[in-house]
């Protein structure tokens, strides 16, 4: 499955707990935990598919099951799409 792309008007700012996204057009703030921030950094052009993101996260978190990683990635991507922080591929 192809990844959505970050919208150009979204500002990504890393913070101690993860990251904050700011939509400069909607004045919307969205917070991400550390894993969510890592997923954001793996969006295109870093990775092109959900599978590539899951593979990276599996290597970084070998104690977490592949199914849990995929569920978390898909859930976050759905949230980002719903909040219009990313655009569909």
């Amino acid at each position: 499955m192809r990844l959505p792309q970050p919208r150009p008007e979204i500002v990504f700012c890393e913070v101690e707990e993860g990251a904050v996204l700011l939509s400069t057009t909607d004045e919307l703030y969205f917070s991400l935990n550390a894993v969510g921030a890592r997923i954001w950094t793996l969006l295109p052009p870093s990775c092109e598919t959900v599978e590539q993101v899951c593979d990276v996260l599996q290597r970084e978190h070998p104690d977490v099951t592949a199914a849990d990683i995929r569920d978390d990635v898909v859930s976050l991507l759905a949230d980002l799409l719903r909040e219009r922080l990313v655009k569909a591929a």
Side-chain angles (χ1 to χ4, degrees):
M1 176 168 55
R2 294 194 56 78
L3 289 170
Q5 297 198 2
R7 291 188 176 273
E9 65 272 13
I10 303 304
V11 176
F12 172 82
C13 181
E14 288 189 83
V15 295
E16 187 174 326
E17 305 82 31
V20 175
L21 303 176
L22 167 65
S23 170
T24 57
T25 55
D26 299 329
E27 297 181 4
L28 168 79
Y29 285 94
F30 192 88
S31 63
L32 298 171
N33 64 19
V35 175
R38 180 65 174 129
I39 293 168
W40 181 269
T41 66
L42 293 171
L43 292 177
S46 295
C47 293
E48 294 298 322
T49 66
V50 170
E51 293 75 17
Q52 289 173 334
V53 170
C54 292
D55 289 346
V56 170
L57 293 175
Q58 186 68 63
R59 287 192 301 274
E60 294 175 357
H61 302 279
D63 55 318
V64 181
T65 68
D68 285 344
I69 288 173
R70 183 170 180 80
D71 289 347
D72 289 348
V73 169
V74 169
S75 176
L76 177 61
L77 294 176
D79 290 346
L80 295 173
L81 280 164
R82 185 182 63 251
E83 297 296 336
R84 299 178 343 145
L85 298 165
V86 294
K87 57 185 175 181

